[in-house]
Amino acid sequence: MLEHRIVLAGCGNMANRWLDYVITRDNAEIVALVDISEDAARKKAEQYNLSVPVFTVLKDAILKTHPNLVLDVTIPAAHKDVVTQSLNHGCHVFGEKPMAENLEDAKEIVAVAEQTGKNYTVMQNRRFLPSIRSLRDWLNEGIIGKAHTYHADFFLGPHFGGFRDMMDSPLIVDMAIHTFDQARFISGANAKSVYCYEFNPEGSWYKGNASAVCIFEMDDGSVFTYRGSWCAEGFPTSWEGDWRIIGTKGTAKWDGVHLPTAEVVNKDEKGFFLPTEKVEAPLSWSGREEHDGCLDEMFSSIENDRLAETDCRDNLKSMEMVFAAIQSAKEGRKVYL
């Protein structure tokens, strides 16, 4: 079995989620921890009882401990440097989203992955839920006929503090990437255009725009709309959003938590409003959830010499949606991807 020698870059709170997973794998070993704060790295080593060296410079960690895999759990501004360094030193990389802070950097990272032949896979944990995977399978079976309109609402009011509070576009760059990626996953389509209005409402505790409305045209002819806010307190949606998907034979709804339901039209009947039958999606996936499920897929991909479901080449298409939306909002016009 392939042995994974791992350097963890970034020793903040999110690193706990990755370390909790890695220490359960028989074929994975943490060989070094890296953080710009040596104290943070040492504390993380103590927290997990890891007798490994700590570094403040990633290159030093790679050259001295000879890993074959780097976990990038740094802040978004550091992703390009961490990922490209790691790939160029012969390591595969698994990293937190987003790939980069701008589309040009994301494309450059993909180019480096292709040049080096190493895998760079992005954490899209919200694809790995029994409910969303059952929804996708159900739609593919034609439960509501041909789906043509996808609506997602996302309304939460988290008080993070830290870098998100200072970002220019915290909702779209740091969070909407998940919902946009889910739309691609559910529909099997990619975006071809977007019109976005981004704003920061009164009472917001973010410096940048914490709310947005987007209309995407997809390449299969469907339309995906997104309404979201990170400073909406009261009646919260789930972190997965609240979805309504309309097709030629009915409508499916998913609250992001439970299995989806649908109301399917009986077209044999007549009337002003055609009668519908309410049905619940069958559970069609039994894999592990969220980070665990995505990390299972990431490790499987390099152990089986294939690209992962959330490989950077695929994730770039979700990133393109993010930055096209920001461009549209800035320029006040429809933008083609």
Side-chain angles (χ1 to χ4, degrees):
M1 183 182 292
L2 179 64
E3 294 295 322
H4 305 285
R5 292 178 53 80
I6 300 170
V7 166
L8 175 78
C11 293
N13 289 333
M14 183 55 73
N16 296 336
R17 190 68 184 83
W18 291 68
L19 286 170
D20 287 344
Y21 174 92
V22 170
I23 61 177
T24 67
R25 291 190 69 97
D26 294 336
N27 65 338
E29 175 188 9
I30 300 292
V31 297
L33 299 177
V34 181
D35 197 277
I36 57 172
S37 166
E38 183 176 339
D39 184 56
R42 291 194 182 283
K43 287 181 178 178
K44 194 63 65 179
E46 293 171 3
Q47 179 183 346
Y48 282 86
N49 196 28
L50 297 171
S51 299
V52 299
V54 300
F55 298 86
T56 57
V57 178
L58 176 62
K59 182 179 178 180
D60 292 344
I62 292 173
L63 293 177
K64 292 181 180 179
T65 63
H66 309 292
N68 53 19
L69 173 62
V70 172
L71 305 183
D72 176 18
V73 200
T74 61
I75 63 172
H79 288 181
K80 178 186 175 183
D81 183 55
V82 169
V83 174
T84 55
Q85 274 199 66
S86 302
L87 294 171
N88 281 321
H89 281 90
C91 299
H92 297 296
V93 183
F94 302 160
E96 274 292 344
K97 54 78 192 165
M99 288 172 58
E101 286 195 311
N102 59 68
L103 189 58
E104 292 72 24
D105 284 351
K107 288 180 176 178
E108 185 175 329
I109 292 169
V110 171
V112 173
E114 292 177 338
Q115 291 162 8
T116 60
K118 295 298 178 181
N119 288 21
Y120 170 41
T121 309
V122 184
M123 176 55 68
Q124 292 292 173
N125 53 303
R126 286 176 167 80
R127 284 189 179 203
F128 292 85
L129 294 167
S131 51
I132 192 172
R133 297 184 89 86
S134 297
L135 171 61
R136 181 194 62 171
D137 293 345
W138 208 29
L139 295 174
N140 287 341
E141 291 170 4
I143 185 65
I144 59 169
K146 179 175 172 53
H148 52 70
T149 311
Y150 301 78
H151 299 292
D153 283 345
F154 178 91
F155 295 107
L156 289 169
H159 293 258
F160 291 107
F163 72 90
R164 291 178 181 87
D165 285 8
M166 303 306 294
M167 293 174 70
D168 291 336
S169 300
L171 176 72
I172 290 182
V173 171
D174 195 58
M175 188 64 216
I177 177 66
H178 281 303
T179 314
F180 295 173
D181 187 73
Q182 287 174 319
R184 290 184 53 242
F185 177 73
I186 293 168
S187 68
N190 296 316
K192 66 177 186 179
S193 75
V194 60
Y195 181 81
C196 173
Y197 179 67
E198 186 187 31
F199 60 104
N200 202 30
E202 184 174 351
S204 170
W205 49 94
Y206 296 86
K207 175 186 175 184
N209 292 319
S211 298
V213 179
C214 304
I215 304 170
F216 288 94
E217 292 178 293
M218 309 301 280
D219 61 10
D220 67 347
S222 64
V223 173
F224 163 54
T225 73
Y226 171 84
R227 302 187 303 176
S229 178
W230 246 0
C231 57
E233 296 181 296
F235 294 109
T237 64
S238 72
W239 283 91
E240 319 311 326
D242 188 32
W243 292 77
R244 175 185 289 264
I245 302 161
I246 307 169
T248 56
K249 296 180 181 178
T251 294
K253 292 191 72 177
W254 178 50
D255 63 4
V257 178
H258 304 96
L259 282 171
T261 58
E263 289 192 351
V264 181
V265 170
N266 181 348
K267 291 195 172 181
D268 293 332
E269 300 285 339
K270 304 296 182 183
F272 187 69
F273 289 113
L274 298 184
T276 59
E277 177 187 2
K278 187 173 183 178
V279 289
E280 183 174 294
L283 180 64
S284 63
W285 189 73
S286 58
R288 296 207 289 175
E289 297 187 20
E290 298 202 8
H291 272 70
D292 289 344
C294 194
L295 283 163
D296 282 347
E297 165 66 5
M298 290 174 168
F299 277 94
S300 176
S301 71
I302 56 176
E303 290 172 359
N304 292 283
D305 194 25
R306 62 175 175 81
L307 298 181
E309 181 178 309
T310 61
D311 176 77
C312 60
R313 296 159 187 82
D314 179 83
N315 197 244
L316 184 62
K317 298 181 186 301
S318 298
M319 291 293 291
E320 287 172 343
M321 294 174 72
V322 168
F323 292 112
I326 291 172
Q327 180 185 350
S328 172
K330 287 181 177 178
E331 298 179 2
R333 66 177 181 88
K334 184 177 183 178
V335 168
Y336 290 87
L337 282 73

